[in-house]
Structures are given as C-alpha cells and as structure tokens.
C-alpha cells in the first residue's frame, strides 16, 4: 500500500537523502538559506546579527568576516554555570585575528592564577581537540591571537560560585601573508 504524499510549502525544494542515511525514498525539505548561526539551546534571540543568551551559548557558528563575541549578559556579570562555544569560520586562504577588548573573568587566585574557576580557552582549529592557543582569566586582556588557518574555536566556562563582567572580543578574517 502506498503512503499518501505529504504536501510541502509552496516554493520548498526537496532532495532525496542517500540510501545509507535514510529509508528508501524519504523526501525532506531542503533549506532555502544556509544558516549563519546554529544554536543547541533555544534560550536566545537574534537582533541585527548579535546573539544574546540567558545561561548558555553552545555551538555557535560565526561565518561573517568580522564580528564581536561577548560573554553572556555582557557588560553585566555573566551567569554561573555558563558553557559557551563559538566557532569562527573564514573563507579559504584567510586567517583569523582575535583581539581582546574588555576582559574580566573571575579567578580566585588559589593554586596560583591557573584559571581553574572561570576561563576562556582559544583553540587553533574548528574543534576543541585542535591546538590550544591559551586558557585565560583575570582582568588583563591577553595579546592578539592569530589562527594558522581559516578556523578558530573560542570556549567560555564559568563555575557555580563567583562571576565578573566578562569579555568583549572582536575578530576579523585577514588575508594570509607569508613573510
């Protein structure tokens, strides 16, 4: 017995998934626009390209050639239990310049300023397993960071105790120059 055909909204393109990914003949809607931001959590709003979060900001993909990244609630104190990840993706043959503006991430100073409590980590690549550029906390902005390729990952984590005013970072995609 044949199943009834499901009506798709007018103007919706479709494509058939490869057999190994689905059952035979399944048709799914094809996205009309490639998303610029992907969010794992629904606690957000989008206003003029800026993404604001209540308590989380997981797996945010940034594909604009320049932009800013802020801690949740910036310039107010970020919340406890924040877990954020931004992946910056530039066009091929570009590298990323990450500049630290305001920087205030709580560190108790216990065990020698080791960024154990709250911290920002930067990885050279699209995933956490890539080369770590640094783990940062405190109130002194780190130096400018350059990626080695067109990908950079920024992660932020806060514990359950103290918070601070957070951070403002700006990034730009720059032409790769061999000196």
């Amino acid at each position: 017995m044949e199943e009834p055909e499901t009506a798709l909204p007018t103007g919706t393109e479709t494509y058939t998934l490869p057999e190994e990914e689905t059952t035979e003949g399944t048709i799914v809607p094809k996205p009309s626009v490639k998303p610029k931001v992907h969010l794992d959590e629904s606690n957000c709003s989008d206003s003029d390209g800026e993404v604001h979060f209540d308590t989380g900001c997981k797996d945010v993909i940034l594909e604009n050639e320049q932009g800013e990244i802020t801690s949740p609630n910036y310039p107010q104190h970020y919340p406890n239990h924040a877990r954020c990840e931004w992946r910056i993706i530039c066009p091929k043959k570009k590298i990323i310049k990450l500049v630290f503006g305001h920087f205030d991430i709580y560190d108790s100073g216990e065990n020698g300023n080791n960024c154990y409590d709250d911290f920002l980590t930067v990885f050279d690549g699209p995933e956490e397993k890539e080369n770590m550029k640094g783990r940062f906390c405190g109130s002194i902005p780190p130096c400018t960071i350059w990626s080695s390729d067109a990908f950079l990952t920024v992660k932020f984590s806060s514990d359950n105790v103290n918070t601070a005013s957070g951070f403002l970072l700006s990034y730009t995609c720059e032409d790769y120059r061999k000196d």
Side-chain angles (χ1 to χ4, degrees):
M1 177 174 174
E2 285 187 36
E3 301 217 2
E5 198 172 302
T6 304
L8 295 172
T10 305
T12 302
E13 297 179 60
T14 61
Y15 66 99
T16 303
L17 292 174
E19 285 183 27
E20 64 272 5
E21 293 182 25
T22 185
T23 59
E24 190 174 311
T26 301
I27 306 292
V28 296
K30 181 178 180 182
S32 59
V33 176
K34 184 178 178 185
K36 289 291 183 186
V37 178
H38 166 73
L39 305 170
D40 270 12
E41 298 190 5
S42 60
N43 298 345
C44 60
S45 63
D46 192 354
S47 168
D48 296 331
E50 294 181 17
V51 181
H52 305 276
F53 303 91
D54 292 337
T55 58
C57 35
K58 293 183 179 178
D59 203 18
V60 178
I61 307 294
L62 302 169
E63 293 181 321
N64 295 329
E65 290 200 34
Q66 63 182 24
E68 291 183 338
I69 299 173
T70 62
S71 52
N73 299 332
Y74 180 82
Q76 308 303 318
H77 279 222
Y78 53 81
N80 289 321
H81 304 289
R83 298 291 180 269
C84 303
E85 181 174 326
W86 298 268
R87 294 180 194 185
I88 305 168
I89 302 172
C90 287
K92 289 181 180 180
K93 298 187 180 184
K94 297 266 186 175
I95 56 175
I96 301 164
K97 179 181 180 182
L98 186 66
V99 178
F100 293 78
H102 177 84
F103 194 80
D104 184 21
I105 297 179
Y106 178 79
D107 183 48
S108 66
E110 294 177 19
N111 303 319
N113 195 21
N114 62 0
C115 301
Y116 178 77
D117 305 300
D118 302 345
F119 51 89
L120 180 86
T121 313
V122 179
F123 297 92
D124 191 10
E127 301 197 16
E128 182 178 335
K129 65 184 176 186
E130 303 294 328
N131 183 34
M132 186 169 74
K133 289 287 203 176
R135 183 172 175 159
F136 309 102
C137 63
S139 59
I140 299 172
C143 296
T144 297
I145 292 178
W146 291 86
S147 68
S148 62
D149 205 340
F151 302 98
L152 200 64
T153 301
V154 178
K155 293 185 85 172
F156 172 67
S157 180
S158 66
D159 66 7
N160 63 344
V161 186
N162 297 301
T163 64
S165 58
F167 58 87
L168 167 66
L169 311 176
S170 61
Y171 70 89
T172 54
C173 297
E174 304 281 338
D175 289 329
Y176 178 77
R177 290 186 272 259
K178 254 188 168 172
D179 295 331

